[in-house]
Amino acid sequence: MKILVINTGSSSVKFKLYDMPAKVLLCEGQIERIGEPEGRLMFTHYLKSGTDDIVLQDTFEDQQQGLNKIAALLLDPDRGLVSHPGEIGAVGHRVVHGGEDFHEATLITPKVTAKIAHLVPLAPLHNPANLKGIRTAMQVFPQARQVAVFDTAFHQTLPEHAFRYAIPNDLYREHGLRVYGMHGTSHQYVAEQGAQHIDKPLDTCNFITIHLGNGCSMAAIENGKSIDTSMGLSPLPGLVMGTRSGDIDPAVIFYLCRHLKMTADQVDRLLNKESGLKGLTGSNDLRDIVRQAASGHQASLLAIHMYTYRIRKYIGAYAAILGRLDGVIFTAGVGENSVLIREKSCEGLSMLGITLDTQLNEQKTQGIREIQSPDSAVKLLIIPTNEELEIARQTYRLLS
Ligand code: ADP
C-alpha cells in the first residue's frame, strides 16, 4: 500500500510517500512560504539510479493549491510513482494536539475532525493548519483513507500526578489545562528503535529520550511508556530551544504585562519566537552558536552552557523518577549532529552511571550509534528520528 504522509503547517506542507509495509521512501518534498508571493517547492524522487530533484519558485495561495501541485507531481505519468489517485491507500496526517481524546493513530471521520477543531484553543497555531491539510487531502485524494497521528498521543500514558498542574481543579476539569507534551511520535519512534537495538522488549525498557531540533523536549520512558515529558500544555516549557524560552517563572509574564504593558499576544510572540537561543545570541541555529563560541563569543558560550545545563537537570530528574535506566537517547538535528552539545549534556553524570566516550561521540557515522564509555552502566545512543516513517507505520498498522 502506498501511504502519503503530510505535515501541514501555517505556511508550509511537508510530504513523504512510502511503499508500506516495505518502508520504502519513494519521494519527498516540501512547499514553503505558502501565502507569500515567493513560494518554493522542493521535491526529490528516489530512483534506483539516484535521485531526481526539483526546486521550483511559484506562488502558492493556500494549502489546497500546494497539495494540488504535490498531487500533480505524484501522478505525473512520466515519473511512474502513482498511476492513479486510488493507488494511494491512505494519507497519514501529523496532528499536533489530540488533547485527552486521542491515545493512538485514528481514522479520520467527521467526528474526529470536529474534535480536532474543538482542541484549537489548546494549539491555536498548529491545529487549524493541520485541519486545513486534512480537509484538502480529502478533496485531492478522495479514495484514500485519512488517518491522524497526534504529537500528544504517546504522552497520554503520563500518570495524573505528572500531568496535572497545581492550580484549582476546575481549570483542569472544565478547560483541560494540564501537561500534554509534544514530539510524541519522535519519542516513540526512537524508543522503539532503541529497544530493538539493545535487543530487549520495549515494555521492559527504561529510557530518557532527548529530542533536540528547533523545538526541544525530553521524555522519561518506563517500560516503554512515557511517564513524564518536558513540554506541557503547549510546546513552550522545558528545555532551552531555538526560539522558545523553555521553563521560566510565570511571574516574568506578569511583569511583562504590568510594567512593560505588553499584550498577551506580544508575550506569546516574545516567548515562542524571540527567546531561547535566538534571544540569547541573535541566532537560533546551533551551528552558528558553536562557531561563535569557538572564537570566544561570550553570549554564545553562555547560551551553550544554559542549553546543556537544562538538559542535565532534566536527565537528573528523570533518572530519579525512573530509578533504573537502560539508555539515554539523543535525536533530531542537534541531538544527532552536535558533538559539543552531547558532550556537555553528559558532563558530571557518572554518579547516575552515565559516562560518555569522547572519541565515539566524535565519530561521524550514520545510523544508530553507541557513544558510552566501556564502564558506563547506561547506554548512550544516537538514534536518527523519523517521524514521517513512524506516521506511515502507525497508519499502516491501523488500516491492516
Ligand atoms: P526541526 O525541529 O525544525 O525539525 P531539526 O530536527 O531539523 O529541526 O533540527 C534543526 C536544528 O538542528 C537546526 O536549528 C540546527 O541548529 C541543528 N543542527 C543541524 N545540524 C547541526 C550540526 N551539525 N551541529 C549543530 N547543530 C546542528
Side-chain angles (χ1 to χ4, degrees):
M1 182 199 293
K2 289 190 177 134
I3 295 184
L4 180 65
V5 175
I6 296 184
N7 181 356
T8 314
S10 54
S11 64
S12 69
V13 182
K14 295 183 187 151
F15 63 96
K16 287 191 182 180
L17 180 69
Y18 287 97
D19 194 6
M20 297 299 284
K23 300 181 199 159
V24 177
L25 178 61
L26 302 170
C27 68
E28 66 177 303
Q30 64 185 78
I31 297 181
E32 295 168 346
R33 298 197 281 267
I34 290 175
E36 291 178 37
E38 287 268 298
R40 189 162 67 146
L41 180 143
M42 285 171 291
F43 178 75
T44 301
H45 181 178
Y46 296 98
L47 302 156
K48 283 209 179 81
S49 54
T51 64
D52 177 22
D53 300 291
I54 297 179
V55 179
L56 203 134
Q57 307 283 346
D58 205 345
T59 306
F60 301 97
E61 274 172 26
D62 52 22
Q63 279 89 349
Q64 180 157 6
Q65 212 182 29
L67 267 173
N68 275 321
K69 182 76 194 171
I70 293 166
L73 278 169
L74 299 179
L75 290 162
D76 180 350
D78 292 341
R79 296 199 167 275
L81 271 167
V82 182
S83 51
H84 58 95
E87 216 181 302
I88 296 181
V91 182
H93 295 268
R94 177 190 181 216
V95 180
V96 167
H97 220 303
E100 288 186 331
D101 296 315
F102 300 106
H103 300 220
E104 57 196 358
T106 305
L107 190 66
I108 297 175
T109 60
K111 221 171 165 178
V112 170
T113 42
K115 278 188 176 169
I116 298 171
H118 184 72
L119 292 165
V120 165
L122 295 180
L125 292 179
H126 297 102
N127 273 26
N130 300 154
L131 273 172
K132 260 191 207 162
I134 291 170
R135 291 192 176 120
T136 309
M138 283 172 165
Q139 290 165 11
V140 180
F141 305 103
Q143 289 110 319
R145 282 170 292 176
Q146 311 283 330
V147 172
V149 177
F150 298 90
D151 243 28
T152 47
F154 181 60
H155 301 302
Q156 276 299 299
T157 45
L158 259 61
E160 190 163 4
H161 58 262
F163 76 64
R164 287 286 298 274
Y165 292 124
I167 55 177
N169 293 322
D170 287 352
L171 292 172
Y172 166 59
R173 292 199 196 110
E174 286 167 29
H175 297 277
L177 301 186
R178 51 158 283 181
V179 171
Y180 293 97
M182 311 281 150
H183 292 147
T185 313
S186 175
H187 289 290
Q188 182 172 9
Y189 178 78
V190 298
E192 283 167 0
Q193 293 286 306
Q196 238 176 51
H197 177 80
I198 63 170
D199 202 17
K200 259 185 98 172
L202 179 61
D203 61 7
T204 64
C205 289
N206 282 12
F207 291 129
I208 295 175
T209 48
I210 309 177
H211 177 110
L212 305 174
N214 245 317
C216 302
S217 70
M218 288 176 57
I221 296 176
E222 184 178 61
N223 298 324
K225 295 202 165 17
S226 176
I227 60 158
D228 207 347
T229 189
S230 59
M231 286 180 168
L233 175 78
S234 79
L236 192 48
L239 303 178
V240 175
M241 311 183 206
T243 61
R244 296 191 193 110
S245 62
D247 292 334
I248 59 161
D249 180 346
V252 170
I253 298 168
F254 314 147
Y255 186 94
L256 295 172
C257 295
R258 290 186 189 131
H259 295 281
L260 302 186
K261 307 290 178 216
M262 290 175 79
T263 63
D265 284 347
Q266 287 170 329
V267 176
D268 189 327
R269 190 175 163 74
L270 178 92
L271 297 179
N272 275 296
K273 302 266 185 218
E274 291 155 15
S275 296
L277 295 173
K278 188 168 181 217
L280 293 167
T281 68
S283 169
N284 61 329
D285 193 320
L286 246 165
R287 284 164 290 203
D288 299 338
I289 298 165
V290 170
R291 216 175 300 121
Q292 286 166 4
S295 52
H297 185 249
Q298 284 306 311
S300 299
L301 286 164
L302 176 66
I304 290 170
H305 201 158
M306 289 172 67
Y307 186 96
T308 51
Y309 174 76
R310 188 80 55 87
I311 294 170
R312 284 167 52 216
K313 274 205 326 197
Y314 270 92
I315 291 177
Y318 288 174
I321 60 168
L322 287 168
R324 177 185 71 75
L325 259 181
D326 293 292
V328 174
I329 301 173
F330 286 94
T331 193
V334 177
E336 291 165 32
N337 294 301
S338 179
V339 172
L340 180 72
I341 294 299
R342 287 193 303 261
E343 184 178 322
K344 290 189 74 65
S345 299
C346 295
E347 256 171 25
L349 299 181
S350 56
M351 66 173 286
L352 301 175
I354 299 170
T355 347
L356 180 100
D357 182 303
T358 45
Q359 275 180 350
L360 289 178
N361 186 36
E362 281 166 17
Q363 283 178 7
K364 289 203 172 6
T365 43
Q366 299 288 310
I368 300 182
R369 285 173 282 161
E370 292 194 14
I371 54 167
Q372 75 281 357
S373 63
D375 60 341
S376 182
V378 175
K379 284 204 187 292
L380 282 169
L381 301 168
I382 303 170
I383 303 186
T385 194
N386 195 337
E387 287 162 280
E388 295 82 9
L389 177 58
E390 181 65 24
I391 292 173
R393 261 178 14 177
Q394 291 189 22
T395 301
Y396 182 78
R397 239 182 353 232
L398 177 75
L399 299 178
S400 53

